[in-house]
Amino acid sequence: MTAGLLADLRAESEVLDGLVAGLEPDAWALDTPAQGWTVAHQIAHLAWTDDWSELAARDPESFVAESARVFGELLAAGADPVEDGAAHGATEEPAALLARWRAGRERLAAALAAVPADVRLPWLGPPMKPASMVTARLMETWAHGQDVADALGAVREPTARLRHIAHLGVRTMGFAFTVHGRPAPEAPVRVELAAPDGGSWTWGPEGAADRVSGPALDFCLLVTQRRHRDDLALTAVGEVATAWLPIAQAYAGPPGKGRDAGGPLPGTGSSL
C-alpha cells in the first residue's frame, strides 16, 4: 500500500467534503441525477460503504459473517442492501451524517494502511488487495461526488487522480462484457487519454487495431456511468472498442441504468 494512493483518496474525499460542508440542511434534500437519491443519500452511501470496507480490512472474518447475515436478511425481506444503507443514512441530521462519514473514512484509511500489500481482503464482489480497495473507494467517492456536484451546479477541477479511475475502467473491460452476458474479448484495446495537465495516459499495445481516445475526464465519466456515451468526446475504432464503450463500467455488480443522453456537459455542472 502506497501512502500516495491513500493521500489521493483523502484528497478526493476532501473535495466532496468541501461541497457539502457548508450546505444548509434543506440542500441535503436536493435531488441528484441518481434516481431517488438526494445529496444526503450520496454521502450516506459513501459512509455505509466505507464502514463495510473498514470492517473487511480490520477483521476479515467478521466481515464475512456479518455481511452474510445482514445482506441475507435484507434480501430475504425483498430489500436492496445498497438502497437500504443509503436510505437509512439519509434520515440522519446532516451534521451527524457528515461527522459519521468523516470519522469512518479516517478509520478506513488507518485500517487499510495496516494491511500488508499482498493480502486479499474479502468483499461483496471478488476479494481485493488493499491498493485495489483504495482505488475502488476513490472511484466511488469521485463518482458520487459528481452526482452531488451536478445537483449543486458545482464544477470540479479535473486532477491527476482521474488516472486511478481511468486505470480501473480499462482493467474492468472484460468484466463489463461478462456482466452483460457477452464473452470477454480477446483482442487488445489501445486506450489513449488526454490528461488534465496536457499530457497523455495510455494503456494497451501501441499497434492494437481497436482503439479508444479522448479526454480522461470523459472516459472517467463514462466508466462510472455519470454521462451517456453520446454526450462525451470519446472516439472508438474497431469492433471491440465500439462495443465496449456503451457498456463500460468501473464498478462491481450488475450493470446500472446509466444516464440519459443530453445531460450536463463534462465539467460544467448542472442546475438540477
Side-chain angles (χ1 to χ4, degrees):
M1 170 66 62
T2 64
L5 190 53
L6 280 169
D8 281 349
L9 173 58
R10 180 173 287 105
E12 199 60 55
S13 298
E14 288 173 351
V15 170
L16 176 53
D17 194 307
L19 287 178
V20 300
L23 293 180
E24 295 294 330
D26 287 351
W28 286 74
L30 287 173
D31 289 332
T32 69
Q35 186 174 5
W37 280 31
T38 64
V39 170
H41 283 79
Q42 301 286 349
I43 301 302
H45 171 71
L46 291 174
W48 178 87
T49 314
D50 284 349
D51 285 347
W52 281 111
S53 301
E54 188 253 334
L55 180 60
R58 177 175 50 80
D59 190 344
E61 291 185 1
S62 292
F63 170 85
V64 172
E66 190 68 5
S67 62
R69 181 187 68 81
V70 173
F71 281 54
E73 290 176 357
L74 288 169
L75 291 171
D80 181 315
V82 174
E83 293 286 343
D84 181 84
H88 179 76
T91 65
E92 293 182 66
E93 290 294 327
L97 174 57
L98 180 58
R100 183 165 67 84
W101 176 49
R102 286 172 172 169
R105 69 192 200 226
E106 289 301 321
R107 290 195 308 271
L108 173 60
L112 287 170
V115 178
D118 60 346
V119 170
R120 290 190 177 276
L121 299 170
W123 190 235
L124 308 174
M128 292 189 287
K129 292 182 179 180
S132 294
M133 184 168 282
V134 176
T135 303
R137 299 309 308 129
L138 194 155
M139 178 272 295
E140 269 220 285
T141 301
W142 182 85
H144 290 283
Q146 185 64 50
D147 292 336
V148 172
D150 287 342
L152 300 176
V155 178
R156 300 182 301 170
E157 189 72 23
T159 72
R161 295 189 296 274
L162 290 178
R163 184 162 191 161
H164 300 303
I165 302 165
H167 180 70
L168 192 59
V170 172
R171 285 185 57 197
T172 53
M173 181 182 72
F175 171 77
F177 278 87
T178 301
V179 79
H180 280 84
R182 308 182 195 179
E186 297 182 4
V189 176
R190 172 75 168 183
V191 178
E192 300 178 343
L193 302 178
D197 65 358
S200 179
W201 299 337
T202 62
W203 293 264
E206 189 172 356
D210 283 87
R211 312 177 75 84
V212 170
S213 61
L217 173 60
D218 286 31
F219 184 76
C220 292
L221 288 166
L222 179 82
V223 299
T224 57
Q225 296 195 358
R226 262 51 191 183
R227 295 291 187 273
H228 191 277
R229 164 78 178 91
D230 293 347
D231 294 330
L232 300 170
L234 295 170
T235 299
V237 176
E239 183 177 351
V240 172
T242 301
W244 173 35
L245 292 193
I247 63 171
Q249 66 178 72
Y251 54 88
K257 177 181 179 294
R259 300 288 154 80
D260 294 332
L265 295 176
T268 62
S270 149
S271 58
L272 293 177

